[in-house]
């Protein structure tokens, strides 16, 4: 049986959170290609296949932090969901923000879900594995 790797775009500027995500995905039983960008401008360049990202595959799913340099996650989310070529890619907001206004704004911008990052590594791993299980085992993506 041939397994096609899952393409995940992680938009995260905190190197500690990037490492936690990588460690959590390493425990996965799925084959994953993780693409990491540190700011909103790079995320949109990758998604639009601009410059050095011209041959990069579109992600199957996007894990998006809200508080990013250059262009924040709220702006990135709005641009993704307004773009007919990108709007079908599930965007999971994975952020430390517990602000009700951020949660409402993310859903108003058509985020597929909003998850508050736990500080505990074991809980973080469980959350990442739950994301994988739900989006790549249970859900049928286009």
């Amino acid at each position: 049986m041939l397994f096609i790797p899952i393409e995940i775009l992680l938009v995260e500027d905190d190197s500690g959170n990037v490492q936690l995500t990588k460690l959590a995905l390493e425990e996965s039983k799925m084959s994953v290609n993780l693409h990491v960008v540190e700011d909103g401008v790079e995320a949109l360049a990758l998604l639009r296949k601009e410059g050095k990202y011209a041959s990069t595959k579109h992600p199957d799913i996007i894990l998006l932090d809200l508080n990013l340099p250059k262009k924040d996650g709220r702006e990135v989310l709005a641009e993704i969901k307004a773009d007919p070529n990108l709007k079908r890619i599930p965007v999971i907001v994975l952020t430390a923000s517990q602000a009700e206004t951020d949660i409402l704004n993310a859903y108003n911008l058509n985020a597929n879900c909003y998850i508050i990052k736990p500080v505990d590594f074991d809980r973080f791993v469980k959350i990442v594995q739950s994301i994988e299980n739900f989006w790549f085992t249970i859900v049928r993506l286009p």
Side-chain angles (χ1 to χ4, degrees), residues 119-136:
V119 290
D120 175 76
F121 175 71
D122 290 332
R123 288 204 54 224
F124 190 86
V125 168
K126 286 180 182 172
I127 285 174
V128 171
Q129 290 173 340
S130 294
I131 290 169
E132 273 190 312
N133 184 50
F134 180 76
W135 287 102
F136 299 111

Side-chain angles (χ1 to χ4, degrees), residues 31-51:
S31 177
V32 174
N33 284 335
L34 181 66
H35 306 274
V36 179
V37 294
E38 296 179 352
D39 64 63
V41 171
E42 286 293 304
L44 291 169
L46 183 146
L47 290 166
R48 293 175 177 147
K49 299 179 176 250
E50 297 171 348

Side-chain angles (χ1 to χ4, degrees), residues 67-97:
N67 301 311
L68 299 167
K70 297 185 182 178
K71 186 175 285 229
D72 83 359
R74 297 157 194 83
E75 294 173 276
V76 173
L77 178 59
E79 289 192 40
I80 290 169
K81 294 304 182 176
D83 186 321
N85 295 314
L86 303 174
K87 68 182 182 182
R88 284 188 251 352
I89 301 171
V91 178
I92 297 168
V93 174
L94 184 59
T95 187
S97 175

